[in-house]
């Protein structure tokens, strides 16, 4: 655990009062991040970091937990870009590249912090010690072209960038395979794990990574039916989108929920002649509406997770 300016010297009493006040507070276990050891002045708050001003940044950053990766990164960002004071004991800076090389692509912008380039993060203070530096390296050493560095996290199992970066995701038209692949490239180890486990769709095969095939865990329509591709199911989600989600789903619960829209999305294929082509699609009932909403929620969860990772 790092020592912050506030808990040194004569401010022990302060720490003691704070600890008493925390007792009985429902989230006593959850220590919030202190992005800036001394809260930002209004002047400092007006500065811009990425897509927001430092004041909004500080507010958002305080919602994370004190020990989270994102908190350590934000504390570095605060000192580097919002004028937060460097904690007293911090004298060293982080190496962006594992061997201290500064032979990087200086002009390259960080994908998740608009306006900030690799040059800007070459010499940031080691705010929380080695933890700050290892997170910074995990996220950006590869992105900034440090010599001989391989990415710590990739969407495609081979490490390749997906061949069709412009392919949109079925559950969020504003997200593309290229964005997701980039998100993986600049993720911390924890974010990498979350990206891999929390999304109920096999994004690697959806994005046509070399050597991958769709899991085909489920199919929207039974044999002998075709998909009414242009029918809108909910919001702007069409049967074609749901067909894609079904093909690439990795969660059987999602498959079950798919059955709720058979009535709407599947039509008898007159040309179907196979002997076993007598499956009848289940009718949608009113109770299914509830279940259907939950599949949407899973999808929205997946995409909001990714959006939330866009903050440094
Ligand atoms: C920061 O931006 C928000 C809008 O997102 C604005 O309300 C606020 O006044 C700004 N803060 C400063 C200090 O400029
Ligand atoms: C370290 O950096 C130098 C460039 O300064 C490079 O030539 C060398 O290959 C790097 N070594 C490793 C292990 O990354
Ligand atoms: C599948 O999704 C359901 C509903 O969100 C969830 O409860 C379950 O844990 C998921 N299963 C797997 C294997 O991820």
């Amino acid at each position: 655990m790092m020592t912050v300016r506030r808990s040194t010297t004569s401010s022990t009493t302060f720490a003691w009062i704070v600890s008493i006040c925390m007792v009985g507070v429902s989230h006593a276990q959850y220590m919030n991040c202190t992005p800036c050891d001394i809260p930002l002045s209004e002047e400092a708050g007006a500065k811009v970091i990425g897509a927001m001003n430092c004041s909004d940044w500080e507010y958002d950053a305080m919602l994370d937990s004190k020990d989270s990766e994102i908190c350590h990164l934000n504390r570095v960002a605060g000192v580097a870009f919002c004028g937060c004071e460097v904690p007293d004991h911090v004298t060293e800076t982080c190496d962006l590249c594992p061997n201290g090389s500064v032979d990087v692509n200086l002009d390259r912008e960080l994908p998740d912090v608009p306006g900030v380039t690799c040059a800007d993060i070459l010499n940031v203070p080691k705010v929380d010690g080695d933890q700050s530096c290892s997170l910074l390296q995990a996220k950006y050493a590869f992105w900034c072209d440090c010599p001989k560095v391989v990415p710590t996290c990739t969407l495609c199992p081979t490490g390749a960038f997906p061949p069709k970066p412009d392919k949109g995701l079925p559950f969020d038209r504003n997200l593309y395979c290229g964005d997701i692949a980039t998100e993986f490239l600049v993720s911390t180890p924890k974010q990498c794990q979350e990206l891999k486990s929390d999304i109920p769709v096999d994004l690697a095969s959806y994005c046509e990574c070399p050597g991958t095939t769709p899991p085909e865990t489920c199919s929207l329509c039974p044999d002998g039916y075709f998909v009414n591709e242009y029918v809108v199911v909910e919001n702007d989600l069409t049967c074609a989108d749901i067909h894609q989600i079904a093909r690439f789903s990795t969660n059987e619960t999602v498959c079950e929920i798919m059955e709720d829209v058979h009535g709407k999305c599947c039509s008898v294929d007159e040309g179907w002649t196979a002997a076993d082509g007598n499956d009848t699609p289940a009718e949608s009932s009113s109770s299914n509406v509830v279940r259907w909403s939950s599949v949407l929620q899973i999808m929205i969860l997946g995409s909001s997770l990714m959006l939330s990772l866009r903050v440094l």
Side-chain angles (χ1 to χ4, degrees):
M1 191 99 36
M2 81 222 163
T3 330
V4 294
R5 178 180 260 269
R6 191 185 288 153
S7 58
T8 53
T9 60
S10 65
S11 42
T12 337
T13 325
F14 177 76
W16 180 72
I17 292 170
V18 169
S19 71
I20 292 200
C21 294
M22 296 291 288
V23 177
V25 177
S26 60
H27 52 269
Q29 295 302 307
Y30 187 90
M31 296 283 283
N32 281 92
C33 185
T34 311
C36 227
D37 289 350
I38 298 171
L40 289 175
S41 65
E42 192 156 336
E43 192 189 352
K47 287 171 80 175
V48 171
I49 177 172
M52 58 177 83
N53 64 30
C54 287
S55 168
D56 285 350
W57 161 84
E58 186 180 32
Y59 181 82
D60 282 357
M62 284 192 293
L63 303 176
D64 296 307
S65 117
K66 181 183 164 74
D67 295 319
S68 62
E69 291 179 338
I70 200 93
C71 179
H72 293 299
L73 284 166
N74 268 320
R75 286 172 52 76
V76 170
V79 167
F81 307 113
C82 289
C84 295
E85 282 199 41
V86 183
D88 277 344
H89 60 281
V90 175
T91 51
E92 291 175 81
T93 57
C94 287
D95 290 328
L96 174 58
C97 300
N99 71 352
S101 169
V102 289
D103 178 20
V104 302
N105 183 342
L106 294 171
D107 299 329
R108 194 158 199 198
E109 195 176 52
L110 308 185
D112 48 353
V113 201
V116 172
T117 64
C118 293
D120 296 327
I121 58 168
L122 262 184
N123 282 301
V124 298
K126 220 173 179 176
V127 178
D128 292 336
D130 290 334
Q131 195 148 21
S132 306
C133 305
S134 64
L135 288 171
L136 201 74
Q137 278 183 9
K139 269 175 82 80
Y140 302 120
F142 176 77
W143 183 258
C144 291
D145 284 346
C146 287
K148 293 185 182 167
V149 167
V150 293
T152 51
C153 181
T154 59
L155 169 62
C156 295
T158 60
F161 204 75
K164 293 183 186 163
D166 295 336
K167 185 172 179 182
L169 299 191
F171 51 88
D172 187 337
R173 286 180 224 285
N174 297 316
L175 279 176
Y176 301 91
C177 285
D179 298 332
I180 298 299
T182 301
E183 209 75 66
F184 275 74
L185 282 180
V186 298
S187 65
T188 64
K190 177 124 185 298
Q191 288 170 337
C192 184
Q193 243 176 11
E194 286 171 356
L195 281 168
K196 286 182 174 166
S197 64
D198 291 359
I199 301 166
V201 172
D202 183 36
L203 291 176
S205 58
Y206 181 80
C207 291
E208 302 176 36
C209 289
T212 59
T213 48
E216 308 278 8
T217 310
C218 41
S219 140
L220 173 56
C221 298
D223 284 349
Y225 290 79
F226 65 84
V227 179
N228 305 323
E229 296 194 354
Y230 298 104
V231 170
V232 174
V233 176
E234 199 168 309
N235 298 335
D236 60 352
L237 207 66
T238 63
C239 291
D241 295 329
I242 291 161
H243 175 59
Q244 291 302 307
I245 294 170
R247 286 190 66 215
F248 294 94
S249 169
T250 50
N251 183 318
E252 286 179 5
T253 310
V254 174
C255 300
E256 283 172 30
I257 298 169
M258 293 291 166
E259 290 170 13
D260 299 349
V261 289
H262 279 175
K264 208 166 189 178
C265 287
C266 307
S267 294
V268 177
D269 182 351
E270 301 296 350
W272 177 258
T273 51
D276 58 352
N278 54 2
D279 250 359
T280 310
E283 282 298 313
S284 287
S285 74
S286 58
S287 72
N288 285 341
V289 173
V290 178
R291 288 217 304 165
W292 180 247
S293 290
S294 65
V295 79
L296 267 179
Q297 268 162 16
I298 294 172
M299 299 310 149
I300 291 164
L301 179 97
S303 58
S304 67
L305 170 81
M306 287 180 267
L307 289 175
S308 73
L309 294 178
R310 278 165 196 276
V311 188
L312 175 81

